[in-house]
Amino acid sequence: MFKTIEWIDKGVRMIDQRVLPTREVYKTFKGYKEVAGAIKDMVIRGAPAIGVAGAMGIALGASKIDPKDFKSFNREFRKIVKHVAGARPTAVNLAWAARRMEAVFEKNRDLPTEEIKALLIAEARKMHDEDVLINKKLGTNGARLLKKNSTVLTHCNAGALATAGYGTALGVIRAAVEKGKNIHVLADETRPFLQGARLTAWELKKDNIDVTLIADNMAGHLMKEGLVDAVVVGADRIASNGDAANKIGTYTVAVLAKEHKIPFYVAAPTSTIDMEIKTGAEIPIEERGAREITHISGVRLAPTGIKIKNPVFDVTPAKYITAIITEKGVVKKPYRAGIKALFKK
Amino acid sequence: MFKTIEWIDKGVRMIDQRVLPTREVYKTFKGYKEVAGAIKDMVIRGAPAIGVAGAMGIALGASKIDPKDFKSFNREFRKIVKHVAGARPTAVNLAWAARRMEAVFEKNRDLPTEEIKALLIAEARKMHDEDVLINKKLGTNGARLLKKNSTVLTHCNAGALATAGYGTALGVIRAAVEKGKNIHVLADETRPFLQGARLTAWELKKDNIDVTLIADNMAGHLMKEGLVDAVVVGADRIASNGDAANKIGTYTVAVLAKEHKIPFYVAAPTSTIDMEIKTGAEIPIEERGAREITHISGVRLAPTGIKIKNPVFDVTPAKYITAIITEKGVVKKPYRAGIKALFKK
């Protein structure tokens, strides 16, 4: 099996998700700016994975500070955190990872700087390992919701490639398959970045999970034909009322699921939940460049000079979500109370 | 302006829609098998355009028959009609064009074969010119439904490139723009064949109509944000109850429009209506090859050996359609009666 992200002696090693599925290339990033660049350029993507990448980037940056005194160490550390946390705006996991690293820093500020550095590295590696365990728990919780011999539609890639391993939405599918449920996956190709075609199809095929690739606009037709039993997607940020930001197109799938009375599940670790915001309206939606729409692999698809829109995420209001699957349990409506209760566990 | 399809001395000339928008190449097809091949290979596409192409292909084939007697002329003619009419299954216009050509043949069977040939050519050219006039009428009828300063979403290409000229859905938009209504168009890119990105964006830009290109899966998000005022699409076949087959993804847009209370219009000439079928369930849905999904311009997007589905059309049930815009008038619910009345005009 591949490794999405790994701490190695020389730096942070990642599989380059931009060249999948045709090439399996690993890159090692040796400084925090390079890690932030990898997040921004989508070498790595997926909310939990960029949380781990952010933590590792911060640990890497901190480990290379050569401080005169604590004051200068502190100043440099804050600069690194700010830089890494700003790499992408929508996923809350990056901010969450930054806060965890800052908490380790604060708690140990009286120790020698070399010890603080070691603790930061240990925390980042721990977050990696925790993420895999969280996904496995989340997977087990969600697998119960899927029926035997069912067809599950997913959008984008909320898989091992979007996390430290195992996956969230694909973790639910993996856990169901491991339980002997015969699951067939329909993967939306997920324009413009084609995470479904390039990543979900690749990792499920590698895992021998039965997958069929479709264009995004086919989901409605297949639902109408009775060929979809459930939808499971990941999330980049969930508001305290259950509204969920995820890859652009997720909201469309949610509306289709409602129209066809198909359950629509969001699978995400509790670190994806942002209790600071009341509704999804407060989630910033990243816009990316025109070239993602107008070109594929350098091939021009659209006329020169054409105007485009490229919002990268959308927000699915909680009312469309049948359940939110987390490592601490499955939450159903009313979400505000259910989500609050999760954090008391 | 470009010409989608044209009868010239040497044969049938078409703009090659497969290489747009990067190249504007015209090809001349000199035999009926070549014309049928051009329809099958999507050199030309769009229900009204392939109707005209079918008629011209039949005329071209007939013109080249060197008959011993009427019996052999008749036999050859029927073979040609069958071959051309079978090029693509979903659009009814091809069958409609074949029937019109057969009617000319029948009506004039007592004339010398050379005269029959000339009449068949005249009929095909007439169908071309009629199609443009029909689209202009249809456009005028539909333009009334669009408000000033509104944003209209369209899917696929139901434009000048999909017809002999002017367009159906884009004809409605063109007519509204000509009336001084300030219309902004959102064009779905329309995977997998990218008719929106390649064709709609190209022809609207060429006509100086304000157009923004989006990925198919962005329509829901933009509707939720209040950025879409109306949807206008074409159709490949409309059943006598108003169910409309059109490019895959149209049904998804219709469901989204319903959810957001946005009017959803289907613009098509009455030749697209198939009174022989009671509902959309009787419309055959063409499936095309895997490569349209797995590759773009020869670039592989998905892992090798991946399973795909590639239904090329879907059926939007009449209940989702706010109105059907034809050259004979605008039909609203109940559709069965309204459509029947159209044919009495």
Side-chain angles (χ1 to χ4, degrees):
Chain A
M1 203 57 185
F2 59 91
K3 282 189 174 157
T4 303
I5 181 166
E6 200 181 0
W7 180 273
I8 60 171
D9 283 346
K10 285 178 201 156
V12 181
R13 189 170 178 264
M14 306 178 197
I15 188 168
D16 187 347
Q17 303 197 20
R18 299 167 307 176
V19 299
L20 284 171
T22 40
R23 290 188 294 146
E24 191 172 336
V25 175
Y26 293 84
K27 290 201 168 182
T28 301
F29 299 91
K30 296 178 182 172
Y32 75 92
K33 284 187 181 164
E34 287 70 27
V35 172
I39 294 169
K40 204 183 280 271
D41 296 344
M42 298 175 69
V43 172
I44 193 164
R45 28 60 56 202
I50 66 178
V52 172
M56 287 186 175
I58 291 167
L60 186 62
S63 75
K64 301 216 166 163
I65 301 171
D66 184 12
K68 274 179 283 187
D69 48 26
F70 179 78
K71 205 178 150 192
S72 76
F73 185 53
N74 186 43
R75 196 174 52 236
E76 276 301 300
F77 178 74
R78 304 298 165 175
K79 203 177 90 184
I80 291 164
V81 169
K82 203 179 160 195
H83 183 87
V84 173
R88 288 191 73 194
T90 301
V92 75
N93 309 60
L94 207 48
W96 168 85
R99 275 202 308 278
R100 262 186 75 162
M101 297 303 277
E102 285 184 310
V104 168
F105 186 92
E106 283 306 325
K107 201 179 148 192
N108 299 290
R109 56 187 295 144
D110 297 332
L111 296 180
T113 55
E114 288 311 305
E115 281 184 42
I116 300 177
K117 289 179 181 179
L119 287 167
L120 289 168
I121 293 170
E123 185 71 8
R125 299 186 70 165
K126 189 176 149 201
M127 284 165 73
H128 177 281
D129 297 346
E130 272 178 13
D131 188 54
V132 179
L133 292 175
I134 282 170
N135 289 339
K136 289 196 172 169
K137 266 194 205 166
L138 179 163
T140 306
N141 290 341
R144 292 185 198 114
L145 301 170
L146 301 184
K147 297 202 178 89
K148 271 194 180 177
N149 305 315
S150 61
T151 297
V152 178
L153 176 84
T154 191
H155 189 73
C156 195
N157 173 267
L161 286 166
T163 60
Y166 205 70
T168 53
L170 299 191
V172 170
I173 288 165
R174 282 196 167 89
V177 169
E178 285 164 15
K179 287 227 165 77
K181 293 182 181 182
N182 175 33
I183 304 290
H184 173 230
V185 180
L186 280 174
D188 275 354
E189 64 174 5
T190 318
R191 281 281 290 149
F193 209 66
L194 294 164
Q195 291 93 338
R198 298 192 302 103
L199 310 178
T200 295
W202 182 79
E203 72 164 88
L204 290 182
K205 200 162 170 272
K206 205 150 178 154
D207 243 11
N208 289 315
I209 294 175
D210 185 29
V211 57
T212 299
L213 178 65
I214 59 169
D216 301 327
N217 64 28
M218 293 169 186
H221 171 67
L222 297 175
M223 286 184 183
K224 185 155 76 77
E225 299 289 304
L227 299 173
V228 180
D229 300 304
V231 177
V232 188
V233 296
D236 291 82
R237 191 183 312 205
I238 299 173
S240 58
N241 73 337
D243 292 352
N246 192 45
K247 182 55 51 201
I248 187 73
T250 302
Y251 170 64
T252 287
V253 177
V255 170
L256 290 170
K258 178 195 163 202
E259 185 72 9
H260 298 91
K261 300 184 173 62
I262 294 167
F264 180 89
Y265 301 116
V266 172
T270 49
S271 59
T272 302
I273 300 171
D274 185 352
M275 293 303 281
E276 305 287 311
I277 58 174
K278 282 185 184 141
T279 76
E282 293 174 57
I283 301 174
I285 300 294
E286 179 180 1
E287 290 255 354
R288 294 182 71 92
R291 215 180 146 87
E292 285 186 2
I293 306 275
T294 57
H295 290 70
I296 283 183
S297 303
V299 178
R300 172 169 282 284
L301 310 174
T304 50
I306 194 78
K307 284 199 288 186
I308 67 105
K309 270 190 194 291
N310 189 11
V312 187
F313 301 95
D314 59 27
V315 173
T316 299
K319 67 171 180 173
Y320 294 94
I321 303 171
T322 311
I324 297 173
I325 302 163
T326 79
E327 78 281 13
K328 294 187 179 175
V330 172
V331 186
K332 294 193 175 182
K333 286 163 201 158
Y335 283 112
R336 203 176 284 282
I339 287 173
K340 216 170 175 181
L342 278 182
F343 288 95
K344 290 184 184 144
K345 283 188 186 173
Chain B
M1 205 56 186
F2 59 90
K3 282 190 175 158
T4 303
I5 181 166
E6 199 181 0
W7 180 274
I8 59 172
D9 282 347
K10 287 177 199 159
V12 181
R13 189 170 178 263
M14 305 177 199
I15 187 167
D16 187 347
Q17 303 197 20
R18 299 167 307 176
V19 299
L20 285 172
T22 40
R23 288 188 295 145
E24 190 172 337
V25 175
Y26 293 83
K27 292 199 167 184
T28 301
F29 299 92
K30 296 179 182 170
Y32 76 90
K33 284 188 181 163
E34 288 69 29
V35 172
I39 294 169
K40 205 185 280 273
D41 298 343
M42 295 174 70
V43 172
I44 193 164
R45 25 62 55 203
I50 68 180
V52 172
M56 287 187 175
I58 290 166
L60 186 63
S63 75
K64 302 215 168 167
I65 302 171
D66 184 13
K68 273 178 285 185
D69 47 28
F70 180 78
K71 205 177 149 190
S72 76
F73 185 54
N74 186 44
R75 196 174 52 236
E76 276 301 301
F77 178 73
R78 303 299 165 175
K79 203 178 89 185
I80 291 164
V81 169
K82 202 178 161 196
H83 182 87
V84 172
R88 290 192 70 193
T90 301
V92 75
N93 309 58
L94 208 47
W96 167 85
R99 275 202 308 277
R100 262 186 75 161
M101 296 302 278
E102 285 184 310
V104 167
F105 186 94
E106 283 306 324
K107 202 180 147 192
N108 300 290
R109 57 188 296 145
D110 296 332
L111 296 180
T113 54
E114 288 311 304
E115 281 183 42
I116 300 177
K117 288 179 183 180
L119 287 166
L120 288 168
I121 293 170
E123 185 72 7
R125 299 185 71 164
K126 188 177 151 200
M127 284 165 73
H128 176 281
D129 297 345
E130 271 178 12
D131 188 54
V132 178
L133 291 175
I134 283 169
N135 290 339
K136 290 197 170 169
K137 266 195 205 165
L138 181 164
T140 305
N141 290 339
R144 293 187 196 111
L145 301 170
L146 302 184
K147 295 200 178 91
K148 270 195 178 176
N149 304 315
S150 62
T151 297
V152 178
L153 178 85
T154 190
H155 188 74
C156 195
N157 173 268
L161 287 166
T163 60
Y166 204 69
T168 53
L170 298 193
V172 170
I173 289 165
R174 282 196 168 91
V177 169
E178 285 165 15
K179 286 229 167 73
K181 292 183 182 183
N182 175 34
I183 304 290
H184 174 229
V185 180
L186 280 173
D188 275 355
E189 64 174 6
T190 318
R191 282 281 290 149
F193 207 66
L194 294 165
Q195 290 92 339
R198 298 191 304 100
L199 310 179
T200 295
W202 183 79
E203 71 164 88
L204 290 182
K205 199 162 168 275
K206 206 150 177 150
D207 244 9
N208 289 316
I209 294 174
D210 186 29
V211 57
T212 299
L213 178 66
I214 59 169
D216 300 327
N217 64 28
M218 293 170 187
H221 170 67
L222 296 176
M223 286 183 184
K224 186 156 75 73
E225 299 288 304
L227 300 174
V228 180
D229 300 304
V231 178
V232 188
V233 296
D236 290 82
R237 193 185 307 207
I238 299 173
S240 59
N241 72 337
D243 292 353
N246 191 45
K247 182 56 50 199
I248 189 71
T250 302
Y251 170 64
T252 287
V253 178
V255 170
L256 289 170
K258 177 195 164 202
E259 185 73 8
H260 298 90
K261 300 183 174 59
I262 294 167
F264 180 90
Y265 301 116
V266 172
T270 49
S271 58
T272 302
I273 299 170
D274 186 352
M275 293 303 282
E276 304 287 310
I277 58 173
K278 281 186 185 142
T279 75
E282 293 173 59
I283 302 174
I285 299 294
E286 180 181 1
E287 289 255 356
R288 294 181 71 92
R291 215 179 146 87
E292 285 186 1
I293 305 275
T294 57
H295 291 69
I296 284 183
S297 302
V299 178
R300 173 169 281 284
L301 310 174
T304 50
I306 194 77
K307 286 198 288 187
I308 66 105
K309 270 190 195 291
N310 187 13
V312 187
F313 301 95
D314 58 27
V315 174
T316 298
K319 67 170 177 172
Y320 293 94
I321 302 171
T322 311
I324 298 174
I325 301 162
T326 79
E327 78 280 13
K328 294 187 180 175
V330 173
V331 185
K332 296 193 173 182
K333 287 162 200 159
Y335 284 111
R336 203 176 285 283
I339 288 172
K340 216 170 174 180
L342 278 183
F343 289 96
K344 289 182 184 146
K345 284 187 187 176

